[in-house]
Amino acid sequence: MSAECPEPGTEGLQGQSLGPGRQDGTSGRCLPRLTPIPWSLPRWRAYVAAAVLCYVNLLNYMNWFIIAGVLLDVQKVFHISDSSAGLLQTVFIGCLLLSAPVFGYLGDRHSRKATLSFGILLWSGAGLSSSFISPRYSWLFFLSRGVVGTGSASYSTIAPTVLGDLFVRDQRTRVLAIFYIFIPVGSGLGYVLGSAVAELTGNWRWALRIMPCLEAVALILLILLVPDPPRGAAERQEEMASGGLRSSWCEDVRYLGRNWSFVWSTLGVTAMAFVTGALGFWAPKFLFEARVVHGLQLPCFQEPCSSQDSLIFGSLTIVTGIIGVILGAEISRRYKKVNPRAEPLICASSLLAAAPCLYLALILAPTTLLASYVFLALGELLLSCNWAVVADILLSVVVPRCRGTAEALQITVCHILGDASSPYLTGLISGALRAGRPNSYLQRFLSLQQSFLCCPFVIALGGGCFLLTALSLERDQAQACQAGTGTPISKDVDSTDVERQGLLSGTAASTEDP
């Protein structure tokens, strides 16, 4: 029996006509009738939900770098060398990337709110328990960092897709900019909190005991105030009433592998992650040793070590992150009105400019510390310009039904090749260089400095990847729009109504049963 075709003029979500039933080109039968999801959300609720998600993102990235803020103390307590200390972050990121595809699959098919809540419980519980681990069980401390990374994967994978289903167009760009501000702000506050608590209490472990209190508040706010919108709600997508058409995970991966904008932008993000991972973990120690070489600081022989450099680097990260994310998002919003390829071009330009800044920051550190700080701040500023823009690229070139999988794959690739390996490789190279040199503080500093020199070249390669993204961006955006709506793209279609609405309004007209 052939499926019955819906009648022309059937009203869809927000009063849009679905038109007559479409024909299957192979069998001549009509496709099953699509039933819209009558979902809407008041404007104020969407903004409250975005604020809660931003707060949780802040805590998420504080957890990423809170150990880096007290790294010297952790090394002395657990008797960890430089190469093994880099492994701390590698274990954290490694567990995150292994679990990200699982959370991406769950986020595309099950309750995103429940998955996010589970992730917060997991990382807060592991963080708290790690503060009580005895120095005799250093392997258990490494394991606890891996569990924290697993919990963090759920949030990094799913939260951007929720925002993508609450906002569209310019408002999505602005909200993502605010959301991604909390990557550098959270990272910087992680350094600041860790070092400040260690300074005040004389015990770095209290930094790990304060975080769960903040995360308990975040979990309550998430449960009470954050909705779980239908996937693609902001673009007025239509879903099957029951048993909706769903592709398999392998089909989603094949689709993403053929999406060249997604592929090249993912490689560009990977280059960013490599550099930020190495800098984020080792920069406070690098700056500390630079001040020792300049005679401004005595070497640290027992804990607690000086936390001044973690505070300085954390403050730099916060300030440059806020300015950079806002600047990048605003330039993108304005420039793409005249150039549809604006987003990848902005990312490419900022990375190609960041490469010489980071190189000069490293080279000048032994001779002039002030100039090193200036170029380091400029490099961080230029890197921060991209966080919101690359998220906007992904949401615009990938269909809503597999955005969670896309986020998960991008996180997996950029962490495997990026910040999962760069802290460990940096420490490993530093240790190898030091092994063949005299045992002096200057040689230790120069070994760490030279192990950083690959970062400017990697970031330049990332800029090239974004230039390649620009070549395929418009085609992939058009295909995502066509696949998402199920209708051909026409230049005659009036899209002003969609552009005028930044999010789903509670005052939108509801459809009535026939």
Side-chain angles (χ1 to χ4, degrees):
M1 180 181 293
S2 63
E4 182 181 353
C5 298
E7 296 180 1
T10 303
E11 293 294 315
L13 184 62
Q14 305 287 345
Q16 287 184 321
S17 175
L18 298 179
R22 288 173 292 164
Q23 299 290 328
D24 185 332
T26 57
S27 64
R29 296 180 179 180
C30 292
L31 292 174
R33 177 174 176 173
L34 299 176
T35 304
I37 296 179
W39 188 88
S40 64
L41 190 71
R43 181 180 296 268
W44 68 269
R45 282 288 312 279
Y47 284 118
V48 168
V52 173
L53 292 173
C54 287
Y55 170 63
V56 184
N57 201 36
L58 173 73
L59 301 180
N60 181 26
Y61 279 91
M62 287 177 69
N63 263 309
W64 279 49
F65 292 101
I66 195 168
I67 293 299
V70 291
L71 181 60
L72 288 170
D73 293 320
V74 172
Q75 284 185 272
K76 293 194 176 299
V77 169
F78 291 103
H79 307 290
I80 299 173
S81 64
D82 277 1
S83 57
S84 298
L87 193 60
L88 265 175
Q89 194 75 347
T90 299
V91 169
F92 175 92
I93 302 295
C95 291
L96 185 148
L97 65 88
L98 288 174
S99 54
V102 177
F103 288 118
Y105 180 89
L106 295 174
D108 280 340
R109 291 160 176 81
H110 302 286
S111 170
R112 290 180 286 189
K113 190 171 179 177
T115 308
L116 291 173
S117 301
F118 171 75
I120 295 173
L121 283 172
L122 189 62
W123 92 53
S124 61
L128 177 62
S129 61
S130 68
S131 68
F132 298 99
I133 295 175
S134 167
R136 293 178 298 172
Y137 302 104
S138 59
W139 63 270
L140 193 56
F141 189 78
F142 279 80
L143 180 61
S144 70
R145 293 303 296 165
V147 177
V148 173
T150 300
S152 182
S154 68
Y155 196 81
S156 300
T157 302
I158 297 172
T161 69
V162 177
L163 290 174
D165 288 334
L166 292 174
F167 302 91
V168 293
R169 306 278 180 152
D170 281 355
Q171 290 195 347
R172 175 186 288 171
T173 301
R174 292 192 183 101
V175 170
L176 285 174
I178 296 171
F179 181 79
Y180 282 100
I181 279 175
F182 291 99
I183 291 180
V185 171
S187 303
L189 285 177
Y191 299 119
V192 171
L193 178 67
S195 56
V197 170
E199 189 77 24
L200 291 173
T201 63
N203 188 345
W204 60 272
R205 297 174 185 270
W206 280 103
L208 299 178
R209 296 167 187 170
I210 290 174
M211 287 299 297
C213 301
L214 303 174
E215 289 153 355
V217 175
L219 180 60
I220 294 170
L221 293 175
L222 178 75
I223 293 172
L224 296 179
L225 300 176
V226 177
D228 192 354
R231 289 155 186 86
E235 289 97 340
R236 303 175 182 181
Q237 298 295 320
E238 294 164 345
E239 302 283 347
M240 297 296 291
S242 60
L245 294 174
R246 269 249 42 118
S247 56
S248 68
W249 186 81
C250 291
E251 289 171 336
D252 288 349
V253 172
R254 282 197 295 269
Y255 156 70
L256 293 170
R258 295 191 298 267
N259 188 324
W260 287 108
S261 296
F262 171 78
V263 171
W264 288 119
S265 63
T266 297
L267 293 176
V269 175
T270 300
M272 289 172 54
F274 185 95
V275 174
T276 56
L279 286 177
F281 195 76
W282 288 109
K285 183 172 182 177
F286 174 78
L287 295 173
F288 175 86
E289 294 189 349
R291 289 200 304 118
V292 173
V293 169
H294 282 275
L296 303 174
Q297 172 71 49
L298 292 175
C300 177
F301 297 107
Q302 62 181 9
E303 59 167 323
C305 298
S306 171
S307 59
Q308 180 180 347
D309 302 287
S310 294
L311 287 170
I312 294 173
F313 184 71
S315 301
L316 273 180
T317 302
I318 293 170
V319 174
T320 57
I322 292 173
I323 297 173
V325 172
I326 294 174
L327 189 63
E330 190 61 21
I331 292 173
S332 171
R333 187 183 69 83
R334 293 176 182 272
Y335 186 34
K336 68 185 176 185
K337 291 180 180 178
V338 295
N339 187 344
R341 299 177 177 180
E343 291 162 326
L345 292 177
I346 289 169
C347 292
S349 301
S350 63
L351 293 188
L352 292 174
C357 290
L358 294 176
Y359 180 79
L360 289 172
L362 296 171
I363 292 298
L364 294 175
T367 55
T368 168
L369 200 55
L370 178 60
S372 179
Y373 270 109
V374 170
F375 282 110
L376 180 61
L378 285 174
E380 284 203 287
L381 176 69
L382 290 166
L383 287 173
S384 297
C385 287
N386 296 333
W387 290 119
V389 181
V390 295
D392 220 1
I393 291 173
L394 184 147
L395 292 173
S396 69
V397 300
V398 176
V399 295
R401 65 175 170 79
C402 60
R403 282 177 182 164
T405 299
E407 289 279 359
L409 287 179
Q410 188 171 90
I411 288 172
T412 300
V413 172
C414 79
H415 289 319
I416 288 177
L417 302 177
D419 53 357
S421 56
S422 62
Y424 179 63
L425 287 175
T426 302
L428 199 63
I429 294 171
S430 175
L433 291 173
R434 196 191 324 170
R437 295 177 175 178
N439 187 21
S440 67
Y441 215 91
L442 176 61
Q443 293 303 321
R444 288 172 58 186
F445 167 73
L446 291 176
S447 298
L448 185 57
Q449 176 210 36
Q450 290 162 12
S451 68
F452 269 134
L453 289 177
C454 61
C455 290
F457 299 100
V458 171
I459 209 67
L461 288 175
C465 290
F466 280 113
L467 289 176
L468 292 172
T469 303
L471 297 178
S472 55
L473 182 75
E474 292 180 272
R475 182 190 68 240
D476 291 331
Q477 285 178 332
Q479 290 176 353
C481 179
Q482 184 175 5
T485 60
T487 57
I489 301 171
S490 172
K491 294 182 180 179
D492 299 329
V493 176
D494 184 9
S495 62
T496 56
D497 180 61
V498 176
E499 190 165 6
R500 194 162 50 240
Q501 295 191 28
L503 48 87
L504 297 180
S505 172
T507 60
S510 59
T511 57
E512 296 181 357
D513 293 333

